[in-house]
Amino acid sequence: MSTGTLLAIIIPIVVVVVLVALATALVMRRRHLRQRFGPEYERTVEEADSRLAGERELSAREKRHDALDIKPLPTAVRDRYARDWSSVQEEFVDRPEDAVHDADRLVTSLMHERGYPTEGFEQQLKDLSVEHGRTLERYRAAHEIDTLSTRHQATTEQLRGAMVHYRALFDELLGDGGQPRHAPA
């Protein structure tokens, strides 16, 4: 066989192998992002100009998150937050709007204590999405209801729902390593 014939056989095989390797890496990266971000993956991709742009956004969130100093809470601090949550729940009976505002502040405080930046709601969502993507929609809903309640436009049932939504993220943040530690009811 001549050198030209060998090259005509080898070069297409190498190109195919490289393309298969790139496709496999892309599929594995996509699977990783879907598993890590849960429903937030689809939401981000839908809001982006393209799937690739959405996936780049999610990768950028991972890099930012990896640079954060997210730390577990000492037992005494976790216990204090659990007691604070119980107080907020008790407050709901007599002052539901105030309780929802306090729940929002308590979740934000807990985020800060864990090491999450709390400079703005949209950035909070992005930072939380890396480890708490499955709870993020509930946090969004709670925040929207909290905003409604500042204008006294939220129903008691909506306020109750907000408390449940805040509690879901609160439990995740209170826990360590993705294992929620339930606060006393």
Side-chain angles (χ1 to χ4, degrees), residues 21-54:
L22 287 173
T24 301
L26 182 63
V27 167
M28 290 175 62
R29 180 69 182 154
R30 186 167 288 155
R31 183 178 300 138
H32 162 76
L33 290 172
R34 280 180 190 226
Q35 288 175 344
R36 181 140 198 202
F37 287 91
E40 190 64 15
Y41 173 87
E42 290 303 327
R43 181 184 186 91
T44 303
V45 167
E46 285 174 18
E47 290 177 355
D49 294 335
S50 68
R51 181 170 296 280
L52 189 57

Side-chain angles (χ1 to χ4, degrees), residues 4 34 55 86 88 170 177:
R34 280 180 190 226
E55 290 174 350
S86 291
V88 168
F170 180 84

Side-chain angles (χ1 to χ4, degrees), residues 131-175:
E131 286 187 8
H132 304 283
R134 290 176 184 3
T135 312
L136 212 51
E137 196 56 40
R138 297 180 79 179
Y139 183 47
R140 275 189 186 94
H143 188 75
E144 287 176 24
I145 294 165
D146 182 45
T147 302
L148 275 177
S149 74
T150 61
R151 297 186 304 262
H152 307 291
Q153 296 176 339
T155 67
T156 303
E157 194 55 38
Q158 287 174 312
L159 294 170
R160 188 180 337 279
M163 291 295 290
V164 170
H165 294 324
Y166 279 129
R167 174 67 182 258
L169 181 59
F170 180 84
D171 281 349
E172 282 189 18
L173 289 169
L174 197 62

Side-chain angles (χ1 to χ4, degrees), residues 85-152:
W85 182 263
S86 291
S87 295
V88 168
Q89 281 184 288
E90 290 170 11
E91 177 184 23
F92 186 85
V93 174
D94 295 321
R95 296 185 327 276
E97 284 183 343
D98 292 340
V100 169
H101 298 317
D102 290 345
D104 182 71
R105 283 190 291 273
L106 187 60
V107 167
T108 302
S109 174
L110 180 54
M111 287 173 53
H112 181 73
E113 186 103 28
R114 291 286 314 269
Y116 286 97
T118 55
E119 67 262 10
F121 183 69
E122 289 304 316
Q123 188 59 53
Q124 287 176 8
L125 290 173
K126 289 177 182 181
D127 291 338
L128 286 169
S129 71
V130 178
E131 286 187 8
H132 304 283
R134 290 176 184 3
T135 312
L136 212 51
E137 196 56 40
R138 297 180 79 179
Y139 183 47
R140 275 189 186 94
H143 188 75
E144 287 176 24
I145 294 165
D146 182 45
T147 302
L148 275 177
S149 74
T150 61
R151 297 186 304 262
H152 307 291

